[in-house]
Amino acid sequence: MATTTPTGVRGDGPSQTSSDGAPMTHPQIMKALSGLMLGMFVAILSSTIVSNALPQIISDLGGTQSSYTWVVTAALLSMTAATPLWGKLSDLFSKKLLVQISLVIYVLGSIVAGLSQSTGTLIACRVVQGIGVGGLSALAQIVMAAMISPRERGRYSGYLGAVFAVATVGGPLLGGVITDTDWLGWRWCFYVGVPFAIIALIVLQKTLRLPVVRRDVKVDWLGAFLISGAVSLLLIWVTQGGDSYEWISWQTWAMTGGAVLLGLLFVLVESRASDPIIPLRLFRNKTITLASAASLFVGVAMFSGTVFFSQFFQLARGESPTMSGILTIPMIGGLFVSSTLSGQVITKTGKWKAWLVSGGVLLTAGLGLLGTLRYDTPYWHIAIYMALTGLGLGMMMQNLVLATQNQVAPEDLGAASSVVTFFRSLGGAMGVSALGAVMADRVRHYVEDGLAALGPKAAAMGHGGTAGGGIPDLDKLPAPFRTVVESAYGHGVGDVFLYAAPFALLSLVLVVFIKEVALKSEPAANAPTEAGSTDAGSTDAEAPAATPVPTP
């Protein structure tokens, strides 16, 4: 049995600087990536474990549909805003240290989130969690790119995709079981990831070795502030529009105008910064521009699926949090199969565009079919629709990053990788915000129509917690009204997926125009650079300038 990977996979640890330049064996690579994949597992787990617990969490804390959306959006917002900063920092400092810092931030946010007594506190803690998760999500791809050539990276991207799938399916299941267990409760959804994060810290310290070079650094804090402000204003506007104020109002003009102004200032600052957080020259490359835009639309589909399926199964079909997680397995199974299979085939062939196009077709079809959901849709129909959506996501998500990494010089690897992740997170945040607002509006509309159909007796039944956008408790609703509410949520979630389908179609159109470039056979850290350029480094590495040394 072969024990080595093909040429282009760099040696690890002290052997990285040895003269023989021997490639790492597959077991050595997996050992080096073990802590990283565990960290990725923690990051995804934190995003998915609360999905099936959210109806219970918001009900216990007295929140509304807007609160429901913001518990998810807050984490996505901070993750989106922080991702470019983590990417730039990875080009300047020790990647290993940054992964460990992001894990610590995640742990602190999780512990306090579990102690929350109000939705406001919980949302604030989710912001902190999102900063940590943003680091883990961006750095996982960056660290892997620093070790492994693009040609071989498809194989290991498939492994990361498998970890993503396991955490995505395991999170809702685990969260549902925890929520349904009386002696635990939903607060343990935030505590359970802490031991995994601590283990990941220890494993990373022992197994991950990356070269670090000395380099003069200057972090573009102003650019980070401007892009964060622009994104935040847009998301606040989308979430509150039509509820706290009319869509056509002075608040709308103030927020959208402020976002545009901050965006223009960001472009101005980045064009003059010596070390911009997002180098604008990257967008001169057609592949990077198209992949970033496609990732924006893929993010809408990826995050909206995990968020709104929990409401569908629990509020439209009356399932428990545990069963809600089990019923989403077809989507996660599709993602697991397609991400793993595509990674293996891409490694063998070096061809990736066909997977992106096929993924776009399947994702568009899956979301379009999910747009037909109603509360009484046969489950086997739903399972097929979810499987198609999962297959599409698995083919597109990791491979858009791979296509981008194959286009950049080593000194821009972190920034380029984080740009794609940034746009995917931005799409998710904006998608969840906008679709959450649509969901609240459509549910309210369908409940009103259903009550009108019930006649005068409907008024005596109360509102079941739906007034003001509240999350209803189905067990406390009288039978006729419960059917109205279940139908409203079933139809409302169907509308959400129907509105998401055109975004998937746009991602398909964009990837069609991406020109396929054969994957390189050298890892980013070994690729030749222009004169005077250096790879990502640390300011305190005890080595001469531009000389790689292993991190401790």
Side-chain angles (χ1 to χ4, degrees), residues 397-533:
M397 189 174 57
Q398 302 288 352
N399 293 327
L400 284 169
V401 178
L402 180 63
T404 299
Q405 291 175 339
N406 194 47
Q407 293 283 318
V408 298
E411 63 269 19
D412 287 330
L413 179 65
S417 302
S418 65
V419 161
V420 177
T421 307
F422 166 80
F423 278 102
R424 187 173 67 207
S425 301
L426 178 61
M430 296 187 69
V432 170
S433 298
L435 295 176
V438 169
M439 175 79 173
D441 178 72
R442 301 310 295 162
V443 167
R444 185 165 52 246
H445 170 75
Y446 291 132
V447 167
E448 291 172 356
D449 287 350
L451 291 178
L454 288 178
K457 293 183 179 180
M461 297 179 185
H463 53 70
T466 59
I471 304 297
D473 186 342
L474 295 181
D475 293 333
K476 296 179 180 179
L477 300 180
F481 191 33
R482 173 169 178 157
T483 301
V484 169
V485 172
E486 288 179 339
S487 177
Y489 272 93
H491 203 160
V493 172
D495 287 350
V496 163
F497 286 119
L498 188 61
Y499 295 150
F503 293 101
L505 180 60
L506 286 173
S507 70
L508 169 60
V509 172
L510 288 167
V511 298
V512 165
F513 289 99
I514 296 179
K515 181 180 179 181
E516 186 166 39
V517 177
L519 296 181
K520 300 173 184 176
S521 298
E522 290 293 324
N526 284 358
T529 62
E530 296 178 2
S533 66

Side-chain angles (χ1 to χ4, degrees), residues 291-317:
S292 298
S295 293
L296 179 76
F297 300 127
V298 168
V300 175
M302 183 175 75
F303 289 102
S304 62
T306 57
V307 170
F308 295 110
F309 271 131
S310 62
Q311 283 194 309
F312 177 79
F313 286 118
Q314 292 182 52
L315 299 177
R317 299 177 78 97

Side-chain angles (χ1 to χ4, degrees), residues 80-354:
T80 301
T83 294
L85 183 58
W86 285 111
K88 172 51 64 176
L89 291 174
S90 74
D91 286 333
L92 306 177
F93 300 105
S94 164
K95 298 175 180 65
K96 174 179 175 179
L97 177 61
L98 291 174
V99 172
Q100 293 172 316
I101 290 173
S102 62
L103 278 168
V104 170
I105 293 173
Y106 164 79
V107 168
L108 294 176
S110 298
I111 292 174
V112 181
L115 301 173
S116 300
Q117 299 299 316
S118 68
T119 54
T121 303
L122 179 58
I123 290 170
C125 293
R126 292 286 287 172
V127 170
V128 177
Q129 275 189 307
I131 294 172
V133 171
L136 293 169
S137 300
L139 292 166
Q141 294 285 349
I142 294 168
V143 169
M144 188 170 65
M147 297 172 58
I148 306 167
S149 71
R151 181 66 178 265
E152 279 294 295
R153 205 177 302 149
R155 175 185 187 183
Y156 296 97
S157 291
Y159 294 147
L160 281 182
V163 169
F164 179 92
V166 171
T168 304
V169 69
L173 284 173
L174 184 58
V177 171
I178 290 173
T179 303
D180 287 338
T181 303
D182 293 336
W183 55 276
L184 288 175
W186 60 261
R187 296 184 185 277
W188 278 92
C189 290
F190 299 102
Y191 299 145
V192 73
V194 174
F196 290 104
I198 294 173
I199 294 172
L201 277 170
I202 296 172
V203 173
L204 280 166
Q205 184 62 32
K206 291 183 175 295
T207 63
L208 185 61
R209 298 288 188 271
L210 288 173
V212 183
V213 296
R214 185 185 299 255
R215 177 182 170 185
D216 292 333
V217 297
K218 184 178 181 181
V219 180
D220 181 19
W221 297 109
L222 180 57
F225 170 78
L226 291 173
I227 192 64
S228 301
V231 171
S232 300
L233 276 178
L234 279 178
L235 295 186
I236 293 171
W237 167 62
V238 169
T239 305
Q240 301 297 326
D243 184 14
S244 299
Y245 46 81
E246 296 296 327
W247 286 109
I248 304 299
S249 63
W250 70 265
Q251 291 95 333
T252 289
W253 295 115
M255 291 187 191
T256 55
V260 170
L261 177 61
L262 290 175
L264 292 174
L265 288 174
F266 172 75
V267 171
L268 179 63
V269 169
E270 295 302 277
S271 64
R272 299 182 178 183
S274 57
D275 270 318
I277 192 170
I278 298 180
L280 298 181
R281 68 180 184 279
L282 293 178
F283 295 103
R284 298 172 188 166
N285 185 298
K286 183 179 177 181
T287 295
I288 295 176
T289 301
L290 292 173
S292 298
S295 293
L296 179 76
F297 300 127
V298 168
V300 175
M302 183 175 75
F303 289 102
S304 62
T306 57
V307 170
F308 295 110
F309 271 131
S310 62
Q311 283 194 309
F312 177 79
F313 286 118
Q314 292 182 52
L315 299 177
R317 299 177 78 97
E319 301 289 354
S320 69
T322 302
M323 279 304 300
S324 180
I326 293 173
L327 293 173
T328 59
I329 286 179
M331 176 178 167
I332 309 309
L335 193 155
F336 180 92
V337 169
S338 63
S339 64
T340 304
L341 179 63
S342 66
Q344 297 285 349
V345 176
I346 287 171
T347 292
K348 292 180 180 179
T349 65
K351 304 294 185 181
W352 44 265
K353 182 174 179 178

